[in-house]
Amino acid sequence: MIATMLTAAIIAFLLSFVGTVLVKRLAFEYGAVDRPLSKRKVHKVTMPRLGGIAIYVAILLVVFVLLFFHDTLTSGQITFWHYLGYILGGLV
């Protein structure tokens, strides 16, 4: 079980790393960036604003694969519906 969870964590990390690079390109292409036009901004250069989407999708994919193809996540009192609530809560 520990090997399964470690493998899932590594896959989620790699997916989020690659996804963040792709989403960064899309953010600059479509103008979804934060431009530091005032002194109140923290960043000094233009920063993309969609990085959380890549992380969310990576975790979502790994959780769905584990839910449908392995019984590691639901082998107790936690059911599929608990994870569905977790996923929908993350979407908000």
Side-chain angles (χ1 to χ4, degrees):
M1 179 169 144
I2 293 175
T4 302
M5 298 308 283
L6 185 60
T7 303
I10 291 170
I11 290 171
F13 170 76
L14 292 174
L15 285 173
S16 65
F17 185 78
V18 171
T20 303
V21 173
L22 295 174
V23 168
K24 178 181 176 182
R25 289 181 186 168
L26 288 175
F28 277 112
E29 183 177 328
Y30 289 106
V33 294
D34 185 23
R35 292 182 178 85
L37 301 177
S38 69
K39 292 182 180 183
R40 297 181 66 190
K41 298 288 184 172
V42 176
H43 298 104
K44 303 295 180 204
V45 295
T46 303
M47 297 297 287
R49 303 179 79 187
L50 302 176
I53 292 174
I55 297 168
Y56 178 75
V57 168
I59 292 173
L60 182 74
L61 288 173
V62 171
V63 167
F64 272 145
V65 167
L66 285 176
L67 282 174
F68 289 117
F69 298 111
H70 205 277
D71 64 348
T72 301
L73 296 181
T74 57
S75 61
Q77 295 184 11
I78 298 176
T79 64
F80 172 78
W81 298 106
H82 292 99
Y83 283 101
L84 184 63
Y86 169 75
I87 291 166
L88 292 176
L91 185 62
V92 171

